[in-house]
């Protein structure tokens, strides 16, 4: 998938899915902890048989070892990320996990810059952590099980990254004056996240859409409509 956002440059690389990254991590762990020791043992046993010039088991084991080491090197190269980019991604993961999904605003001090600004489809909705919390509280109250799942991310470029996410929740609380409907809501969208030189988030621009219309889903009117109708 290639992300394209109005008013922004096209992303430079095709992002890996979050699930794909986890699968590579699991594969790398298996290669190092299981496959590598096993093939070393197999080579040792084949060598103990004597003449290696006509030892098919030894040749097969060596070929397998070459593949394993090559695959390890390939995954590690693909996973390579500068320390500053890892730190920025850690902040994003903490923001999603602790603030958005657990409603813990105490983490924002270490994540957001003093001049942080949040926009939705290029319209400013919050400046600073206090206004961000006030902006999100109606959603938290209306959808107590509000959850953001990161689906994809772009490569970093000049302290910027784009995230593809999904929001799910059930309208079991009052939302901006609308009584609870019990409807489930699903929103997918993208966010451009920018960091300052100190590695803190300085701006976020959200683009999210429901299946109830073409307007940005974060607007009270459209999200309220989604709460009334529900989404698949």
């Amino acid at each position: 998938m290639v992300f394209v956002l109005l008013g922004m440059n096209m992303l430079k690389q095709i992002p890996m899915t979050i699930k794909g990254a986890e699968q590579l991590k699991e594969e790398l762990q298996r290669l190092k902890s299981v496959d590598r020791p096993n093939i070393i043992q197999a080579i040792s046993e084949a060598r103990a048989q004597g003449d290696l010039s006509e030892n098919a088991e030894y040749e097969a084991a060596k070929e397998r070892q070459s593949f394993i080491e090559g695959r390890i090197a390939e995954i590690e190269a693909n996973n390579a990320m500068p320390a500053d980019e890892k730190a920025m991604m850690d902040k994003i993961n903490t923001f999603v996990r602790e603030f958005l999904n657990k409603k813990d605003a105490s983490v924002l001090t270490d994540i957001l810059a003093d001049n942080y600004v949040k926009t939705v489809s290029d319209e400013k909705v919050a400046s600073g952590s206090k206004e961000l919390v006030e902006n999100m509280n109606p959603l938290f109250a209306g959808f107590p099980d509000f959850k953001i799942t990161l689906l994809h991310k772009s490569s970093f470029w000049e302290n910027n990254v784009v995230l593809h996410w999904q929001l799910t929740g059930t309208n079991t609380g009052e939302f901006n004056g609308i009584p609870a409907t019990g409807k489930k809501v699903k929103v997918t969208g993208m966010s451009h996240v920018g960091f300052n030189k100190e590695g803190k988030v300085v701006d976020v621009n959200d683009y999210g859409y429901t299946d109830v219309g073409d307007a940005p889903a974060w607007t009270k009117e459209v999200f309220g409509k989604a709460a009334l109708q529900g989404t698949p």
Side-chain angles (χ1 to χ4, degrees), residues 134-135 138 175-176 178 216-227:
E134 292 173 351
N135 175 258
F175 175 66
N176 286 316
I178 302 174
W218 289 110
T219 62
K220 294 179 181 179
E221 293 80 7
V222 174
F223 210 88
K225 187 177 181 181

Side-chain angles (χ1 to χ4, degrees), residues 39 43 57-68:
I39 200 62
I43 290 174
E57 292 184 6
Y58 176 79
E59 292 299 325
K62 290 294 290 184
E63 288 182 9
R64 176 63 179 164
Q65 183 185 46
S66 178
F67 170 82
I68 291 171

Side-chain angles (χ1 to χ4, degrees), residues 3 16 28 48 80 84 97 105 108 114 117 120 127 134 168 171 173 175 178 192 202 214 219 221:
F3 297 124
M16 175 183 293
L28 182 61
D84 57 342
R97 182 182 65 250
L108 296 178
D114 292 338
V117 173
V120 176
S127 297
E134 292 173 351
T168 56
N171 183 212
F175 175 66
I178 302 174
H192 163 241
V202 69
D214 294 329
T219 62
E221 293 80 7

Side-chain angles (χ1 to χ4, degrees), residues 148-169:
I148 293 287
T149 302
L150 295 181
L151 303 176
H152 306 83
K153 76 173 185 66
S154 73
S155 298
F156 279 86
W157 79 100
E158 298 177 353
N159 286 359
N160 292 270
V161 68
V162 171
L163 308 172
H164 179 207
W165 45 262
Q166 181 179 83
L167 181 162
T168 56

